[in-house]
Amino acid sequence: MMSFTLRSAMLVTVAASGLLFGCATSQKIQVVQPGDQNLSCNAIKEELAKLDKAQAEIDSKKGVTGTNVAAALFWLPGLAYTYYDAGEATRLVNDRRSALTTIFNSKNCTP
């Protein structure tokens, strides 16, 4: 009987750890990067395209995903964190886009 209780406790611990560490986190982008001022117009366009892909990745972690459903059912703070994290990542993407656009415009680049 004692081993069943210990086994159950271990399963619960493993499951809880999976929910805690299984939250969907988004990669954070550094808003200003070394060498930004030296980028060519084409290089800035490439960086902006990378930001579009990064935003698509962030958006894919929101909504109805397996992790989010599990978080909603078993650990609501995990779901809240996923959305907070996605919002923070989106803010950084937008700030980087703004910084690159400023450089793009100052170099009189054409779209």
Side-chain angles (χ1 to χ4, degrees):
M1 188 78 151
M2 180 68 140
S3 65
F4 178 73
T5 304
L6 181 59
R7 182 176 174 187
S8 297
M10 289 178 72
L11 287 173
V12 168
T13 301
V14 169
S17 296
L19 286 174
L20 179 62
F21 296 109
C23 293
T25 57
S26 302
Q27 179 181 0
K28 303 303 180 290
I29 292 175
Q30 187 177 347
V31 174
V32 177
Q33 298 179 9
D36 279 352
Q37 293 295 330
N38 299 325
L39 292 173
S40 68
C41 293
N42 284 335
I44 294 172
K45 288 179 186 178
E46 290 172 9
E47 286 294 313
L48 292 169
K50 288 179 188 176
L51 291 175
D52 291 339
K53 289 179 183 177
Q55 186 61 54
E57 176 72 21
I58 293 165
D59 291 342
S60 75
K61 293 181 179 177
K62 297 190 301 188
V64 181
T65 65
T67 300
N68 291 346
V69 169
L73 292 174
F74 301 109
W75 196 61
L76 198 53
L79 180 61
Y81 177 77
T82 297
Y83 277 85
Y84 167 79
D85 183 70
E88 182 65 14
T90 294
R91 183 187 65 76
L92 293 170
V93 165
N94 289 336
D95 289 352
R96 173 114 177 104
R97 181 175 283 124
S98 178
L100 287 172
T101 300
T102 298
I103 296 168
F104 188 83
N105 291 336
S106 72
K107 291 185 175 211
N108 296 318
C109 297
T110 57

